[in-house]
Amino acid sequence: MSDDSEPAENISGGVEGGGIAAEFDPATADTRTEAVVDRLGELYWQKTYGGQDAFTCLVRTILSQNTSDKASQPAHDELMGRYNSPNADLAEALAAADQPTLAETISSAGLYNQKSEVIVATAEWVLEEFGSAAAFDSFVRDGDPAAVRETLLEVRGVGPKTADCVLLFAGGQSGVFPVDTHVHRIYRRLGIAPKDANHELVREVLERELPAEKCGFGHTATIQFGREYCTARKPACLEDPEACPMADLCDQVGVYPETGEVVDPADAPEA
């Protein structure tokens, strides 16, 4: 089920998403969390990220909110095709965009009216605070990561996952592990994070227990693992415990192969 290449439909930008290979030795894992991420790295890829344009990455991540990358990627492509050009500032183009037209352009991403409003407002904020998309990019790359994250979280429509994706894929900041729905589900199901942990607590656990250089590929590889093996309703272990490459490392919180039942880890009874 594994694939040697990074999928094109991935917030990291796929094979063309930038970054370099990250070397690691799985035998030196100090925690169960690190052992999980090392195994994911062997299944999929090991990359350190960075190098994407920060404003483009921010827009791309807003489009991905509450939908799959498969649905949001066409919306991103349509947006870039209509509003991006070599001699123009993308933030200026989107700040001046007709909101209904932008909404139609990104309709495949879902919640397109809301997302188009957020994108226009975010573009206006970038111009007001930084003057251009290029200046915003410099702020993300060169600024203190904690200050960048705090600034991004002040923007309407930008939550922790969006801010962390910008830090990771544009800023190239190590030690950042964005938490989406896959990551939130999987690390509670594994028993690594508390079963009732919110997204922020899961992030804190992962960033505390992993070496900084493993957080980037840990994020993208976990998403792929969630798509292929540890899905929300039909995880691979439900029918065959040995079908999952994490079988020996997982507590199966909320998964009951004997009855075929799957619940959110937060709803699982105490063991």
Side-chain angles (χ1 to χ4, degrees):
M1 296 179 72
S2 63
D3 186 348
D4 291 333
S5 62
E6 189 171 350
E9 287 112 356
N10 189 294
I11 192 64
S12 68
V15 176
E16 305 302 324
I20 59 174
E23 301 294 333
F24 70 99
D25 181 1
T28 62
D30 291 328
T31 64
R32 183 160 65 104
T33 309
E34 189 175 357
V36 166
V37 169
D38 283 356
R39 191 170 297 176
L40 289 172
E42 293 180 305
L43 276 172
Y44 300 112
W45 50 78
Q46 307 93 44
K47 274 176 86 173
T48 56
Y49 293 104
Q52 292 188 26
D53 175 79
F55 182 66
T56 303
C57 183
L58 178 56
V59 170
R60 176 69 182 85
T61 312
I62 291 170
L63 288 172
S64 75
Q65 293 172 351
N66 300 301
T67 191
S68 67
D69 287 335
K70 185 176 182 180
S72 61
Q73 184 68 51
H76 175 260
D77 294 342
E78 289 292 325
L79 180 150
M80 296 298 286
R82 182 183 289 261
Y83 295 100
N84 193 40
S85 63
N87 298 318
D89 186 293
L90 182 60
E92 290 183 0
L94 290 173
D98 175 67
Q99 188 264 325
T101 301
L102 176 58
E104 180 182 358
T105 303
I106 64 171
S107 59
S108 65
L111 299 175
Y112 46 88
N113 285 319
Q114 176 183 326
K115 290 178 181 179
S116 60
E117 292 176 358
V118 169
I119 288 170
V120 170
T122 301
E124 292 173 342
W125 170 78
V126 165
L127 294 180
E128 181 179 343
E129 294 293 323
F130 303 97
S132 67
F136 173 67
D137 184 64
S138 296
F139 168 71
V140 171
R141 292 177 192 274
D142 302 331
D144 173 71
V148 173
R149 189 176 196 266
E150 183 177 353
T151 299
L152 289 171
L153 289 175
E154 293 173 354
V155 182
R156 172 179 169 253
V158 174
K161 177 231 175 181
T162 299
D164 289 337
C165 282
V166 173
L167 282 170
L168 176 62
F169 298 120
Q173 301 294 344
S174 61
V176 176
F177 202 124
V179 176
D180 72 340
T181 55
H182 290 294
V183 174
H184 184 234
R185 175 182 71 252
I186 288 167
Y187 288 97
R188 291 180 301 130
R189 186 177 279 175
L190 284 161
I192 285 172
K195 66 178 190 175
D196 59 351
N198 60 20
H199 285 62
E200 280 291 88
L201 180 54
V202 171
R203 180 184 67 83
E204 290 173 9
V205 169
L206 294 173
E207 292 181 1
R208 181 178 66 246
E209 295 191 3
L210 285 171
E213 65 272 14
K214 296 184 180 181
C215 288
F217 76 78
H219 164 73
T220 50
T222 298
I223 291 173
Q224 191 64 10
F225 173 67
R227 290 171 176 160
E228 293 190 3
Y229 292 97
C230 200
T231 60
R233 297 178 182 175
K234 293 184 178 180
C237 62
L238 198 62
E239 295 184 1
D240 178 7
E242 299 305 316
C244 177
M246 299 298 159
D248 60 317
L249 296 171
C250 183
D251 289 349
Q252 288 186 298
V253 179
V255 180
Y256 307 98
E258 60 276 9
T259 63
E261 184 183 13
V262 179
V263 300
D264 185 273
D267 297 326
E270 295 293 338

